[in-house]
Amino acid sequence: MQYEGKIIHIGEVETVGQNALQKRTVVLEEHTDREYKWGISFDLIKDKVELINSFKVGDLVKVSLNFRTNYSENTQRYYTSISAWRIDGLSWSDNSSSQDDDLPF
């Protein structure tokens, strides 16, 4: 799945788990004129933590995401993780949700 939005948070690189897995959390907000905006939080894992280094808060990006759900026997709950495997920069005019179409009405 792909999601386009404005970067509103870039977390620090964390080391988690017994295997010393590196992880970084990023939050995007949809780029729209609507009063109430949606957002999505995703993780960059292992070698992907570096993907965000060329971007900063406020940049508009398109992110390719993977969703994965696991069941925990201990808690008897399902957990969903969202991770990115690609991030591309967009210019403000590239955003497909823009309402700048030259329509005849």
Side-chain angles (χ1 to χ4, degrees):
M1 176 184 167
Q2 292 186 336
Y3 187 89
E4 293 182 8
K6 179 175 68 170
I7 299 171
I8 61 172
H9 173 77
I10 301 173
E12 296 296 322
V13 176
E14 302 173 45
T15 303
V16 296
Q18 296 174 356
N19 297 330
L21 176 77
Q22 287 196 317
K23 172 179 127 170
R24 192 173 202 179
T25 301
V26 178
V27 180
L28 297 184
E29 176 184 78
E30 72 177 335
H31 181 66
T32 181
D33 293 334
R34 295 186 314 176
E35 182 179 358
Y36 300 105
K37 299 176 188 319
W38 296 95
I40 190 167
S41 173
F42 61 89
D43 294 322
L44 298 167
I45 300 172
K46 297 181 184 178
D47 61 329
K48 304 299 184 197
V49 296
E50 305 296 327
L51 288 178
I52 200 72
N53 287 349
S54 60
F55 301 101
K56 64 185 181 312
V57 171
D59 286 349
L60 188 62
V61 294
K62 177 169 51 173
V63 181
S64 298
L65 301 168
N66 287 332
F67 294 80
R68 189 168 110 181
T69 300
N70 294 315
Y71 182 74
S72 170
E73 293 288 338
N74 294 338
T75 61
Q76 298 183 1
R77 292 185 60 190
Y78 288 95
Y79 294 92
T80 301
S81 64
I82 304 171
S83 60
W85 55 273
R86 182 176 176 163
I87 302 175
D88 295 310
L90 298 174
S91 68
W92 290 98
S93 62
D94 289 343
N95 188 5
S96 61
S97 65
S98 174
Q99 299 298 320
D100 295 335
D101 296 7
D102 291 331
L103 300 175
F105 49 89

